[in-house]
């Protein structure tokens, strides 16, 4: 049974930084993709970035490239989303999610079968 537990988030001023973490349990192999999604109020869910856990290869959405960084810890069961240069458009509920085998088409949220509870990020 796969479980994802998110931590971090909160409120920050424009230009500030925040860090989100997602701790994963339940996988017996590392051949899965972990992605971060966000959903602003009244808008569609958007793919922020992803990491293929077996290799550490990362992918980013255009709106966050150069500002957000995804990394995994040495034990490989916690993934961090480091966000810097935050702007008001980054305000959203942020979710981590996983799917098996690869990060192909990672921006498609319907491909992901396990989700964290979500954490709010507010930039003002």
């Amino acid at each position: 049974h796969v479980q994802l537990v998110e931590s971090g988030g909160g409120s920050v001023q424009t230009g500030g930084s925040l860090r989100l973490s997602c701790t994963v349990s339940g996988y017996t192999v590392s051949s899965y993709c972990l992605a971060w999604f966000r959903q602003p109020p009244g808008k569609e869910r958007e793919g922020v970035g992803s990491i293929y856990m077996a290799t550490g290869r990362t992918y980013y959405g255009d709106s966050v490239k150069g500002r957000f960084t995804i990394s995994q810890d040495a034990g490989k069961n916690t993934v961090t989303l480091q966000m810097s240069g935050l702007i008001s458009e980054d305000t959203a509920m942020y979710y981590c999610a996983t799917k098996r085998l690869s990060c192909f088409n990672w921006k498609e949220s319907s491909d992901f079968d396990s989700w964290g509870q979500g954490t709010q990020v507010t930039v003002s």
Side-chain angles (χ1 to χ4, degrees):
H1 177 61
V2 176
Q3 287 188 309
L4 286 68
V5 178
E6 299 178 34
S7 60
S11 297
V12 66
Q13 292 185 337
T14 299
S17 299
L18 278 176
R19 183 167 61 186
L20 307 182
S21 294
C22 180
T23 299
V24 183
S25 62
Y27 281 100
T28 58
V29 295
S30 59
S31 54
Y32 66 94
C33 180
L34 186 146
W36 289 94
F37 292 88
R38 66 186 182 185
Q39 188 163 20
K43 296 186 178 180
E44 293 187 355
R45 190 168 294 180
E46 174 192 18
V48 174
S50 65
I51 183 168
Y52 184 57
M53 299 297 278
T55 63
R57 181 170 181 175
T58 55
Y59 308 83
Y60 296 95
D62 289 341
S63 62
V64 305
K65 279 181 183 176
R67 299 188 300 122
F68 291 13
T69 302
I70 296 173
S71 61
Q72 59 186 166
D73 70 355
K76 296 190 177 181
N77 70 332
T78 297
V79 171
T80 297
L81 175 65
Q82 179 68 47
M83 306 181 290
S84 60
L86 287 162
I87 58 178
S88 60
E89 289 81 359
D90 295 319
T91 294
M93 185 70 78
Y94 283 70
Y95 300 89
C96 59
T98 59
K99 65 172 182 173
R100 298 184 186 276
L101 299 180
S102 81
C103 282
F104 175 76
N105 206 32
W106 67 267
K107 293 182 182 179
E108 182 55 60
S109 62
S110 62
D111 288 354
F112 289 77
D113 46 31
S114 296
W115 289 79
Q117 77 279 14
T119 186
Q120 178 69 36
V121 171
T122 302
V123 184
S124 60

